[in-house]
Amino acid sequence: MASKPNLDHPVFKIVKEAFPAVRFRATEFRGQSTLIVEPGNLHKVLAFLRHDDRCDFNFLSDVIGIDYLDYPTPMPGRFSVIYNLVSYTRDDRLFMKVFLDPSLPTDGIDEDPALYLDSVCDIWPGAEWTEREVFDMFGIRFRNHPDLRRILLWKDYPAHPLRKDYPLRGRGERETYRVIDRTDA
Amino acid sequence: MPYTLKPTKAFDVDNESTEYLSTHVTAEDRWVMNFGPQHPATHTTLRLVLELDGERIARCTPHIGYLHSGFEKLGEHLDYNQYVTIVSRMNYLSPIANDICWHHAVETLFDVEITPRCKVLRTIMAEIARCQDHLLCTGAAALDLGAFTGFLYVFNVREKIYDICDFISGQRFHPDWTRVGGAMMDLPDEAMFKKLVKALVNEEIPRAVDDLEKLVMRNRIFLDRTVGIGEITEEEAIAWSLSGPIARASGVRQDLRKTEPYLCYADNWDGQGAEAVKFKTPIATEGDVYARFRVRLEEIKQSLEIIKQLIDEIPGGPINVFSDSKMTIPPKSEVYGSIEGLIQHFELVMTNRGWDAPVGEAYGANETANGELGYFIVADGGPRPWRVKTRPPSFINYQMMAKITEGHMLADIVATLGSLNVVAAELDR
């Protein structure tokens, strides 16, 4: 990133005024603004962004999970969840980001108390499946989610495969495939 | 109507379909039926567990993932040009729209401005893809409801669209046509391309749409099966993140081509003050299955208008950007004619080299036939993306399936599924 981020998104000021006690960080890249907040404050800030008339982000486009294990630039946390918010009334798009750090080894599917976020299904019901996908792929769980089950993989799948420590070829049977070559065929 | 519709409760997440999981079959006279994974009307593999009260659906629980093949994991291991072959296979009804969207996102990330010629060709192909998708969606819906002839009329035209894809890229079904900063190659023969496209937009598609409309849209049986079925209100459509023709059939005035314009939908797309293409965004307010088909058919007509505006105005010049930014593969004349071109080609093509992507994150979205298709790319500075998140319209639109079918008859599942146009490869990725 050669140029300095341009942090003049009008919503930043409104949010900062509304939550003087909350610590925000913000960034911008290619004209797309991202607001970073701590996980504990996520739900109330999102509810504010949805319901405040000056923000009015009435459309949740997507919920995105990212794993930053060994990312070249240091990040404030291992995992991140991004909320892609759109305001239909103001034709505006904003990304809301939280960082999470796991407290358990990430190669299993054990429930990690550190990897919890408040579900936004009560604000935007459309988050139901996208949050389920984040849970399925990254093992980040959502409190008060109406139906938090795996969505693309089956119930007993032994990993969260979009974590960076999960190999591309999978773990388990594929890893231990016996390779038969010409000599012992 | 022969039965009363289920009252729709907006914003109600905590509805019955989720409780179902713990309390299996509640009433004794209800029984559970599997719809899919293999069923002719699902077109691919998706499964609905239906709890039936007679022939009425009491609860509907969609189970998806049968076609999950880890496209997003693969995206982390393929470079910015290679991954186009994977995205092409997401929405296979209009594959070239996925290609265009993917490279739109990559070019947003790389900050590459493509040439006017490429913009026009991409816009034309994106609109042809929209027709391709809507034609199959409406035709297949007619097929599912018993009208085989209409389906054959529109499927016949899709073959002509495949001919065009074949002509420009060499591949009929999955063109994999775009590249970073342009396309895999220029048009092999511009006059021929114009001739094919003009035949398509002036004769073939209008005739097929006309046939389909006459056969189906005022057909008593079709009306009985679709009017008032699967209604979605405007508030629900926004709250449940619906986009594209499904949202617009419920009265949501939203089209990324208008609100976040890209390609030739934006003003000044050629850098010399060219005006954006003119088109209308069809809106219906009923929000039922029938309204969705009407919106789709109207969108086909608008797409044809867009293509007609552009087809005689294809600018000359190169199709690929060749700049000092080292982000695009240089033209062959540069590769063979200059040492810089050769080095740049080598740098991008060799597997141990590749793009010097910026370290950052960008989102690029297009209005495709099903709605907002977007790619959120996290780049780590290397030749491959760190993370690729698709915003698949089918996946997000399909959430509504359970909510809008509950209370309807079993046979309405087929009509509703057809109107949502769920493409399982995109749904499961």
Side-chain angles (χ1 to χ4, degrees):
Chain A
M1 276 185 278
S3 58
K4 243 172 95 82
N6 178 17
L7 302 177
D8 60 353
H9 197 281
V11 166
F12 288 169
K13 229 173 104 187
I14 300 169
V15 172
K16 225 170 149 52
E17 276 167 20
F19 298 98
V22 175
R23 215 172 120 243
F24 289 105
R25 271 172 295 184
T27 170
E28 188 250 25
F29 188 62
R30 303 288 185 232
Q32 298 170 354
S33 299
T34 309
L35 187 63
I36 304 166
V37 71
E38 276 150 13
N41 301 319
L42 174 75
H43 189 271
K44 64 180 182 192
V45 175
L46 282 172
F48 173 81
L49 287 173
R50 166 70 186 87
H51 295 298
D52 187 81
D53 283 340
R54 292 164 297 169
C55 306
D56 199 17
F57 287 99
N58 53 358
F59 184 80
L60 177 75
S61 178
D62 204 355
V63 181
I64 300 157
I66 299 172
D67 182 355
Y68 284 113
L69 177 70
D70 300 331
Y71 192 67
T73 333
M75 283 286 167
R78 158 91 191 263
F79 292 105
S80 128
V81 177
I82 298 184
Y83 295 81
N84 182 348
L85 312 175
V86 181
S87 167
Y88 275 4
T89 45
R90 298 188 305 109
D91 281 345
D92 192 9
R93 198 182 278 276
L94 179 75
F95 296 89
M96 184 86 186
K97 195 169 184 179
V98 282
F99 284 98
L100 292 166
D101 261 318
S103 62
L104 296 174
T106 51
D107 54 352
I109 52 167
D110 296 332
E111 195 169 325
D112 189 338
L115 294 183
Y116 259 101
L117 283 176
D118 287 319
S119 168
V120 295
C121 285
D122 53 337
I123 310 173
W124 297 278
E128 188 179 328
W129 280 22
T130 35
E131 285 185 349
R132 274 176 71 184
E133 196 189 330
V134 171
F135 161 61
D136 192 358
M137 294 299 165
F138 293 93
I140 297 165
R141 285 172 170 78
F142 293 88
R143 275 181 224 107
N144 307 322
H145 189 283
D147 180 20
L148 193 67
R149 290 175 293 140
R150 281 177 173 270
I151 188 158
L152 293 176
L153 298 163
W154 58 99
K155 188 171 99 241
D156 307 322
Y157 196 77
H160 294 293
L162 278 185
R163 286 177 173 175
K164 282 284 177 184
D165 48 10
Y166 187 78
L168 175 66
R169 302 193 65 169
R171 230 184 259 135
E173 57 174 36
R174 285 199 184 187
E175 240 178 353
T176 52
Y177 262 166
R178 202 158 68 87
V179 180
I180 300 175
D181 60 20
R182 207 169 267 277
T183 49
D184 52 29
Chain B
M1 296 302 300
Y3 49 85
T4 50
L5 296 177
K6 189 187 83 161
T8 38
K9 292 175 284 175
F11 307 108
D12 188 1
V13 222
D14 223 3
N15 84 358
E16 293 183 335
S17 66
T18 50
E19 252 169 58
Y20 153 73
L21 300 159
S22 46
T23 58
H24 196 52
V25 180
T26 44
E28 272 182 27
D29 51 349
R30 289 182 180 183
W31 57 291
V32 176
M33 198 188 80
N34 257 317
F35 183 91
Q38 301 292 335
H39 187 282
T42 64
H43 297 288
T44 32
T45 40
L46 35 94
R47 174 174 168 227
L48 296 164
V49 178
L50 304 169
E51 201 178 308
L52 297 172
D53 179 6
E55 225 181 306
R56 186 87 54 88
I57 298 154
R59 269 165 200 172
C60 168
T61 313
H63 289 262
I64 66 170
Y66 290 89
L67 238 54
H68 179 64
S69 30
F71 281 3
E72 287 177 7
K73 189 83 179 172
L74 280 171
E76 297 167 7
H77 296 264
L78 294 173
D79 76 27
Y80 292 97
N81 270 346
Q82 288 170 333
Y83 192 53
V84 74
T85 59
I86 305 290
V87 299
S88 211
R89 281 145 182 83
M90 281 184 189
N91 183 347
Y92 51 79
L93 302 185
S94 51
I96 209 160
N98 301 325
D99 302 358
I100 292 167
C101 182
W102 162 248
H103 275 124
H104 170 71
V106 173
E107 283 149 13
T108 310
L109 175 76
F110 287 178
D111 204 12
V112 172
E113 176 78 14
I114 57 175
T115 60
R117 182 180 175 80
C118 185
K119 280 186 183 173
V120 170
L121 291 177
R122 280 194 189 178
T123 314
I124 292 174
M125 289 318 293
E127 292 304 326
I128 289 180
R130 190 182 319 279
C131 297
Q132 194 182 11
D133 199 303
H134 287 340
L135 281 172
L136 184 76
C137 169
T138 34
L143 169 71
D144 293 342
L145 299 178
F148 200 12
T149 318
F151 171 72
L152 290 178
Y153 284 166
V154 296
F155 217 75
N156 201 22
V157 184
R158 279 172 53 87
E159 209 53 47
K160 303 284 196 279
I161 296 175
Y162 285 141
D163 285 348
I164 293 178
C165 292
D166 190 358
F167 181 71
I168 62 165
S169 73
Q171 288 190 77
R172 185 177 156 272
F173 205 88
H174 294 294
D176 309 332
W177 176 59
T178 55
R179 295 289 182 275
V180 178
M184 56 168 283
M185 61 185 233
D186 204 344
L187 295 177
D189 180 350
E190 197 170 318
M192 188 66 188
F193 176 75
K194 283 184 179 169
K195 197 178 146 211
L196 286 172
V197 173
K198 277 180 182 165
L200 189 75
V201 297
N202 290 327
E203 290 157 35
E204 283 146 5
I205 293 182
R207 199 193 306 136
V209 172
D210 214 34
D211 284 343
L212 187 69
E213 272 188 333
K214 280 183 188 149
L215 266 173
V216 164
M217 296 313 277
R218 281 185 293 162
N219 183 313
R220 190 69 248 165
I221 303 170
F222 189 79
L223 287 172
D224 282 347
R225 293 289 302 275
T226 53
V227 175
I229 305 296
E231 280 179 344
I232 304 173
T233 64
E234 188 184 346
E235 290 75 31
E236 279 179 315
I238 296 176
W240 283 91
S241 305
L242 303 188
S243 57
I246 299 167
R248 288 195 284 274
S250 302
V252 179
R253 285 161 204 281
Q254 187 74 4
D255 188 329
L256 284 179
R257 291 175 291 172
K258 299 264 191 198
T259 55
E260 295 176 25
Y262 51 94
L263 295 177
C264 296
Y265 311 111
D267 276 323
N268 192 23
W269 50 263
D270 64 350
Q272 295 168 17
E275 274 186 49
V277 288
K278 292 186 183 60
F279 67 100
K280 297 192 181 77
T281 307
I283 308 268
T285 48
E286 294 88 355
D288 58 1
V289 172
Y290 185 66
R292 278 169 230 149
F293 290 133
R294 267 190 16 241
V295 167
R296 282 183 201 272
L297 285 178
E298 197 53 42
E299 278 194 8
I300 296 179
K301 293 175 191 164
Q302 294 299 329
S303 293
L304 297 183
E305 289 305 313
I306 296 174
I307 299 170
K308 280 179 198 163
Q309 288 170 42
L310 292 172
I311 188 68
D312 283 322
E313 309 289 328
I314 302 176
I319 192 164
N320 287 329
V321 182
F322 177 54
S323 62
D324 296 336
S325 64
K326 312 262 186 256
M327 286 302 187
T328 56
I329 289 181
K332 280 283 179 285
S333 58
E334 291 292 329
V335 177
Y336 296 126
S338 71
I339 188 69
E340 291 79 16
L342 184 66
I343 291 170
Q344 189 173 332
H345 180 90
F346 185 83
E347 288 283 344
L348 291 183
V349 166
M350 293 303 284
T351 48
N352 57 348
R353 288 181 164 75
W355 280 264
D356 284 329
V359 182
E361 305 165 3
Y363 177 74
N366 279 7
E367 183 74 30
T368 59
N370 269 337
E372 178 185 339
L373 174 67
Y375 291 96
F376 189 90
I377 309 173
V378 183
D380 62 346
R384 283 172 283 275
W386 181 261
R387 164 100 170 97
V388 185
K389 173 70 172 77
T390 320
R391 188 219 183 259
S394 288
F395 178 78
I396 293 170
N397 295 346
Y398 191 52
Q399 291 187 81
M400 264 326 247
M401 186 67 195
K403 326 290 179 221
I404 59 181
T405 48
E406 281 167 13
H408 285 300
M409 305 291 264
L410 174 60
D412 295 333
I413 287 275
V414 176
T416 318
L417 199 59
S419 76
L420 293 182
N421 193 19
V422 174
V423 185
E426 185 183 69
L427 178 76
D428 298 339
R429 301 177 310 288

